[in-house]
Amino acid sequence: MAALTYDVTYTETRNRLTVAFRIILAIPHLIVAQVWGYLAQILGVVEWFVILFTGKRNRGMWDLQRAWLGYYGRVIGYISLLHDEFPPFGTEAGAVPVRETLEFEEDANRLTNGLRLIWLIPAAFISAVLAAAAYVVAIISWFAILIAGKQPKGMWDFVHKAVHYALQTQSYGLLLTDTYPKYG
């Protein structure tokens, strides 16, 4: 089974100006990611029935959901201060220092997918707690970058791991993989 990998290149020295206005700069991306995310969730419900009846994933729906997850990962990385590169709209990564992989597996376990919503609850709870903590750490990092022009590595590492876990939880919830999310 394939798990989603998410890696971002750490840069200590950061651009104070773009960090200061990061949330404003990200508003168009947040809108696109949210609308596209609704489509990915609808496809997740359809995929649930497809897997339940056939035991296989639909490649077209998987590709569209996977493209959204890649875009979402770049946008969340930008908003969470993991990198300074403004992500391009769409499926191309451009110059964004984010690398992520998730391999397509056609065969899917009907039982784990049939009960996915129940098994997703603990991972979603952990993801929500990590997201709240990462939010606080990102705000502290924002101040550190504005004052010193540098982001502390420990703060960056925590936010990176929280975003990675959240993306693994999304991939598991959208039925892109049967691998349960794990922190680290």
Side-chain angles (χ1 to χ4, degrees):
M1 289 192 251
L4 178 114
T5 62
Y6 180 78
D7 190 34
V8 182
T9 305
Y10 170 71
T11 306
E12 183 180 27
T13 305
R14 305 300 293 276
N15 184 332
R16 291 177 181 176
L17 183 62
T18 62
V19 168
F21 298 103
R22 181 66 47 99
I23 198 68
I24 295 169
L25 294 170
I27 289 173
H29 280 295
L30 290 171
I31 293 168
V32 170
Q34 190 66 37
V35 172
W36 193 355
Y38 290 143
L39 175 61
Q41 290 172 354
I42 291 168
L43 289 177
V45 172
V46 173
E47 186 77 42
W48 185 81
F49 285 105
V50 169
I51 291 171
L52 203 58
F53 291 117
T54 68
K56 299 190 181 303
R57 290 182 176 85
N58 179 287
R59 183 65 190 238
M61 287 191 287
W62 189 91
D63 285 340
L64 187 69
Q65 290 174 305
R66 173 64 184 92
W68 170 77
L69 194 63
Y71 173 70
Y72 183 68
R74 290 186 296 277
V75 170
I76 291 301
Y78 180 70
I79 293 168
S80 302
L81 305 175
L82 293 178
H83 61 83
D84 283 341
E85 306 299 326
F86 189 78
F89 288 92
T91 59
E92 294 300 318
V96 175
V98 174
R99 292 160 306 287
E100 54 201 44
T101 59
L102 180 61
E103 300 298 323
F104 175 74
E105 295 174 342
E106 185 176 24
D107 293 329
N109 186 320
R110 290 179 185 190
L111 178 62
T112 62
N113 284 278
L115 299 173
R116 183 65 50 98
L117 192 58
I118 295 169
W119 288 340
L120 183 63
I121 292 170
F125 177 76
I126 292 168
S127 184
V129 170
L130 283 173
Y135 178 74
V136 171
V137 171
I139 290 173
I140 296 168
S141 287
W142 184 80
F143 282 109
I145 293 168
L146 290 182
I147 294 167
K150 298 179 181 181
Q151 184 172 24
K153 176 82 166 116
M155 291 181 177
W156 184 92
D157 283 338
F158 178 77
V159 173
H160 177 257
K161 287 179 181 179
V163 169
H164 184 200
Y165 188 83
L167 292 173
Q168 284 183 347
T169 304
Q170 285 282 348
S171 68
Y172 185 73
L174 291 173
L175 309 175
L176 296 173
T177 183
D178 288 340
T179 304
Y180 200 76
K182 62 182 175 184
Y183 183 79

